[in-house]
Amino acid sequence: ARSSECGDVKLKTKRMENRWKYKPSIPSVVMGNVNSLASKTDELAALVRNQWLYRECSLLCLMETWLTGNIPDTNINIPSFTTITTDRDARLSGKSKESYPTPLPEIACDVTRATIARLQTQHPDAFIAISGDFNHITLDSVLTAFHQYLDCPTRKNRTINLLYPNVKDAYTATLLPPLGKSDHNLVYLQPQYTPRFRTQPITTRSFRKWSPGAEAALRD
């Protein structure tokens, strides 16, 4: 029985290796503003279970204004995904459900530029993508080496949910229905980038195979 179990594990591992062998080198992404994630996790989990696009997606990049430290991660975990959050500090942001802070685009651009410069210095070959609600700014003139791929309206007739990766010709964007009663559409970004090693010419080599007679002659 133990031998059979080991064989099953090896077979599953081999299948997984073959499956990921042809995966793109940049992640597929579903992104958008979900407007209160904690009340929509059941719907999102159902999408992950039942729809291939969500199940095979590498990243679920979800913007959530009202996610604070008072909401435990267990309330927003999605099966098969690892949850990473950056909770809003209402005291520092000045944002509440009754009011919105005055936007400071210059400060936001400076912070973004400094953060990206630090990451690129630490990890010069890394894939980096910036996502979020860009209500008052864009990064086109701030990070000229990054490329924005969303060209479809994400909220009414405006395109405010943007994605800036540091790879050219990386994605095509497809509009998805909003999650629950959110007034923002989700967007699926499908990788189109061809890894460099796949564009290189195939090199062939020839090897001479020794016959049993030649091996015996060499031993003599």
Side-chain angles (χ1 to χ4, degrees), residues 102-167:
T102 302
L104 299 173
E106 297 81 6
I107 295 178
C109 287
D110 289 343
V111 171
T112 302
R113 185 189 297 111
T115 302
I116 293 302
R118 175 175 55 81
L119 290 173
Q120 290 184 314
T121 300
Q122 295 173 345
H123 312 283
D125 298 322
F127 171 80
I128 300 175
I130 307 165
S131 176
D133 275 9
F134 291 80
N135 287 287
H136 306 285
I137 62 170
T138 65
L139 300 178
D140 298 335
S141 60
V142 178
L143 298 172
T144 55
F146 284 66
H147 310 273
Q148 205 289 114
Y149 288 94
L150 271 73
D151 55 2
C152 47
T154 57
R155 185 173 187 266
K156 298 181 179 179
N157 62 342
R158 299 179 60 200
T159 305
I160 60 176
N161 303 112
L162 306 180
L163 183 78
Y164 286 90
N166 61 340
V167 175

Side-chain angles (χ1 to χ4, degrees), residues 192-206:
Q192 297 297 311
Y193 171 71
T194 302
R196 184 177 301 175
F197 79 91
R198 295 185 185 176
T199 64
Q200 301 299 316
I202 298 175
T203 302
T204 59
R205 296 180 181 179
S206 300

Side-chain angles (χ1 to χ4, degrees), residues 12-146:
K12 290 180 181 178
T13 302
K14 186 65 176 178
R15 287 176 178 171
M16 186 173 294
E17 289 176 354
N18 291 335
R19 177 183 175 189
W20 283 97
K21 180 180 180 180
Y22 301 102
K23 286 282 185 178
S25 59
I26 59 177
S28 55
V29 181
V30 171
M31 58 165 286
N33 191 319
V34 295
N35 296 134
S36 184
L37 177 60
S39 63
K40 299 179 175 71
T41 51
D42 289 343
E43 179 184 353
L44 188 56
L47 289 171
V48 171
R49 284 194 305 270
N50 300 313
Q51 293 196 17
W52 178 89
L53 185 150
Y54 288 87
R55 185 170 60 250
E56 293 297 311
C57 179
S58 303
L59 293 175
L60 295 175
C61 189
L62 307 175
M63 280 69 76
E64 167 54 88
T65 301
W66 309 117
L67 195 61
T68 70
N70 295 326
I71 301 175
D73 288 351
T74 53
N75 286 14
I76 56 173
N77 284 340
I78 304 300
S80 304
F81 285 85
T82 300
T83 302
I84 301 175
T85 64
T86 302
D87 298 329
R88 175 181 292 276
D89 188 327
R91 179 180 56 83
L92 295 177
S93 68
K95 187 169 184 178
S96 67
K97 292 190 176 181
E98 292 78 28
S99 64
Y100 290 81
T102 302
L104 299 173
E106 297 81 6
I107 295 178
C109 287
D110 289 343
V111 171
T112 302
R113 185 189 297 111
T115 302
I116 293 302
R118 175 175 55 81
L119 290 173
Q120 290 184 314
T121 300
Q122 295 173 345
H123 312 283
D125 298 322
F127 171 80
I128 300 175
I130 307 165
S131 176
D133 275 9
F134 291 80
N135 287 287
H136 306 285
I137 62 170
T138 65
L139 300 178
D140 298 335
S141 60
V142 178
L143 298 172
T144 55
F146 284 66

